[in-house]
């Protein structure tokens, strides 16, 4: 078994309204960052898992995203996978 | 002025307790993903901004993180910056 670190990035689909992002944008404008044109807020999840090999780990992380981490109706995800020592 | 897309990743410092991550880990275990050893939950924020050049954009995004996006007491952040057309 090899240990992997998966970094999962979940964000709302571009067509979905993002009130959290709009609130952050408003806050940044209030702080004087008027050059900010748009903000989108999402989730960043780090998962450490043990797996036989890279392709098995990729399949597992993809299934985790599909079943729990992302809502496929309104969100999209991507991830990268890094082999780690411990 | 050039347009940039900043991708900001905010996560809890390693020593800080992460109940959201523990909940996700429990959910993954319940779904049968017993190979998951640890989960850490964080934020992923995309910011589109206009700036004179790359170094100015970097300085601005770093200041946004310091002042609003991350809580320096319990969180750490990193970001990358990409030049975009529109």
């Amino acid at each position: 078994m090899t240990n992997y670190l998966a970094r999962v990035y979940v964000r709302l689909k571009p067509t979905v309204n993002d009130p959290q992002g709009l609130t952050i944008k408003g806050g940044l404008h209030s702080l004087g960052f008027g050059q900010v044109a748009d903000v989108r807020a999402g989730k960043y999840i780090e998962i450490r898992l043990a797996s036989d090999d890279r392709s098995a780990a990729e399949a597992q992380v993809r299934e985790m995203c599909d079943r729990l981490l992302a809502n496929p109706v309104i969100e999209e995800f991507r991830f990268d996978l890094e082999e780690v020592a411990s």
Side-chain angles (χ1 to χ4, degrees), chain A:
Chain A
M1 297 289 269
T2 313
N3 291 302
Y4 294 92
L5 168 61
R7 296 187 185 86
V8 180
Y9 313 96
V10 182
R11 63 176 179 184
L12 290 167
K13 290 181 180 176
T15 52
V16 177
N17 199 19
D18 180 5
Q20 191 186 358
L22 290 174
T23 303
I24 295 172
K25 179 182 164 186
L28 290 171
H29 281 191
S30 298
L31 287 172
F33 297 106
Q35 71 275 45
V36 171
D38 190 38
V39 176
R40 302 286 287 176
K43 290 177 284 185
Y44 168 57
I45 303 163
E46 289 183 345
I47 301 172
R48 288 171 194 278
L49 74 160
S51 200
D52 290 332
D53 55 38
R54 173 171 283 271
S55 68
E58 276 187 12
Q60 285 157 351
V61 174
R62 184 164 291 112
E63 196 186 339
M64 292 178 205
C65 292
D66 283 331
R67 293 182 62 191
L68 185 72
L69 303 178
N71 176 350
V73 178
I74 58 169
E75 291 175 326
E76 57 193 13
F77 66 86
R78 62 185 168 86
F79 64 88
D80 52 56
L81 205 60
E82 182 190 332
E83 199 175 317
V84 290
S86 64

